[in-house]
Amino acid sequence: MKTYLEKLINQESLTVDEMKNATNYCFTDDITDTEIAAFLTALRIKGETANEIAGIVQVIRAQSELSSIQLPNVMDNCGTGGDRSNSFNISTTTAFVLAGAGVTIAKHGNRSISSKTGSADVLEHLGVSLTFSKEDTEEMLQENNIAFLFAPHVHAKLRPFMKIRQELGLPTIFNLIGPLTNPIELESQLMGVYKRDKLETIAKSLHQLGRKRALVVNGAGHMDEASLAGENHLVLLDEGKITSFTLHPNEVGLPTYDNKAIQGGNAEENAKILLSVLRNEASPYLDTVLLNAALGLFANGKAASIQDGMEVAGESIASGAALKRLNTLVEFSKSVTREAM
């Protein structure tokens, strides 16, 4: 570890293999908390590269038993968090719209970190289990197009890192890589980031991690979701080619709203918002989900354009298909709980 720390302190970036070696060492009994803290801090000060992000993610993913699940064209639409917007659970609600449109979604998420309510908090309130087994997860992906992967459950071996992150109380590489560590092999991804200057870096990491197609977005107001407040900044990864562009909601027929219009609350309040969207009740929440779902469908290739994605997303909600995916996940959770009793 000393060699890697010296490189980082000297502002030298690590290769993918060096990053994998350093991360693997962090999982051994020989590592100390001080070394891990120094490693995370040195990375942060230097600034994480695409190679370093890809290296640590590859090791973390391999630690989860879910990494052996092999299904075609699986997608995730998780954001990094950290934008401090206190928005409702946009990506979680959007996930059901994508699933209702026929996209297989392995929804990776956690409890609240920088917002009032995380994806796990709102789904747990709605009755979704946070402790699906590998077999349960695979069944839901195949039969329901969506399963929820609770990060602490699927990444149990990361607890030493989490302890040190809490003690440091500072942003680290983990504030960027959460959505990348989904243990299931993904072909496509919609990923929101709270740092606009990391859009291209994340896109390059996604390419190294095997994504065929992906969209990385930093929304108006520096949200880690697409926003209706103005111009959104995006980077498209398509078979290795990276293209940057901007998108204003007016370009796809949506009105503009201040980001305050989509703020959420506690788990109960956000659950009500989520259900109102899936029931097709007109609101800034619904329009925000339509925009993000359109981007997800375009990222996945299910829609040829973002405008086409708007139509497909609208149909997923209006037909009741999106709400059905949620209801099926809740009922399955109940059945799993009964079997365990």
Side-chain angles (χ1 to χ4, degrees):
M1 180 61 80
K2 183 180 178 181
T3 301
Y4 302 133
L5 286 174
E6 286 179 345
K7 285 193 69 172
L8 295 172
I9 290 169
N10 290 327
Q11 293 292 300
E12 297 177 41
S13 297
L14 304 183
T15 66
V16 172
D17 285 340
E18 286 175 331
M19 192 66 180
K20 288 169 71 173
N21 289 338
T23 307
N24 274 316
Y25 180 60
C26 289
F27 283 103
T28 68
D29 294 333
D30 297 327
I31 194 77
T32 66
D33 288 356
T34 301
E35 285 178 300
I36 295 178
F39 179 55
L40 296 178
T41 303
L43 273 170
R44 174 67 180 182
I45 292 171
K46 181 189 68 66
E48 303 88 347
T49 66
N51 282 336
E52 289 164 345
I53 291 170
I56 191 172
V57 167
Q58 287 173 17
V59 173
I60 290 171
R61 289 185 65 253
Q63 299 289 325
S64 174
E65 67 169 357
L66 269 64
S67 62
S68 62
I69 292 179
Q70 298 290 325
L71 294 172
N73 199 18
V74 182
M75 181 182 185
D76 192 7
N77 69 321
C78 182
T80 59
D83 62 15
R84 304 191 182 281
S85 66
N86 291 322
S87 61
F88 77 107
N89 300 101
I90 298 171
S91 66
T92 306
T93 311
T94 300
F96 292 104
V97 180
L98 295 171
V103 180
T104 304
I105 300 290
K107 183 69 181 80
H108 195 244
N110 209 333
R111 293 197 183 277
S112 172
I113 297 175
S114 59
S115 60
K116 291 182 180 179
T117 305
S119 55
D121 301 306
V122 70
L123 291 177
E124 185 178 48
H125 182 82
L126 288 164
V128 175
S129 172
L130 304 185
T131 56
F132 282 142
S133 67
K134 175 187 170 184
E135 292 73 24
D136 294 336
T137 300
E138 193 161 10
E139 181 177 343
M140 278 292 90
L141 289 173
Q142 290 176 319
E143 297 185 8
N144 192 45
N145 283 354
I146 186 168
F148 182 64
L149 282 61
F150 181 42
H153 178 64
V154 300
H155 295 299
K157 294 183 179 180
L158 280 178
R159 288 194 183 100
F161 281 105
M162 300 306 102
K163 171 179 173 289
I164 292 162
R165 284 184 66 198
Q166 290 174 349
E167 290 175 352
L168 280 174
L170 299 170
T172 69
I173 193 170
F174 282 91
N175 292 79
L176 287 174
I177 67 171
L180 298 173
T181 61
N182 190 318
I184 295 176
E185 197 69 36
L186 306 176
E187 284 194 21
S188 60
Q189 190 156 359
L190 172 64
M191 179 172 167
V193 297
Y194 72 100
K195 295 188 70 175
R196 189 165 292 172
D197 61 356
K198 288 294 185 181
L199 284 168
E200 190 167 324
T201 298
I202 293 296
K204 289 177 179 178
S205 297
L206 285 164
H207 175 55
Q208 292 191 53
L209 293 168
R211 308 295 190 269
K212 294 180 178 179
R213 191 172 165 89
L215 263 180
V216 190
V217 58
N218 177 262
H222 293 272
M223 288 185 64
D224 73 326
E225 316 273 3
S227 164
L228 299 177
E231 193 172 68
N232 298 279
H233 292 249
L234 302 101
V235 170
L236 172 67
L237 168 68
D238 186 13
E239 299 290 351
K241 182 181 179 182
I242 292 175
T243 308
S244 300
F245 65 102
T246 60
L247 178 72
H248 193 282
N250 294 166
E251 295 178 52
V252 288
L254 289 171
T256 55
Y257 299 97
D258 189 279
N259 283 334
K260 291 181 180 178
I262 56 169
Q263 286 186 342
N266 60 27
E268 181 180 2
E269 292 166 328
N270 280 14
K272 290 178 180 177
I273 294 171
L274 185 153
L275 290 172
S276 76
V277 171
L278 298 189
R279 290 168 180 157
N280 207 25
E281 297 173 9
S283 70
Y285 303 117
L286 173 61
D287 289 342
T288 299
V289 168
L290 286 171
L291 176 60
N292 280 275
L295 292 174
L297 290 161
F298 178 61
N300 176 262
K302 188 79 172 181
S305 68
I306 298 170
Q307 186 62 61
D308 288 345
M310 288 286 298
E311 296 178 16
V312 177
E315 177 60 25
S316 174
I317 296 172
S319 68
L323 182 58
K324 183 179 179 181
R325 300 303 182 193
L326 170 61
N327 290 337
T328 299
L329 195 59
V330 171
E331 289 304 311
F332 184 76
S333 297
K334 291 178 181 176
S335 68
V336 170
T337 300
R338 285 195 296 267
E339 290 174 7
M341 294 175 66

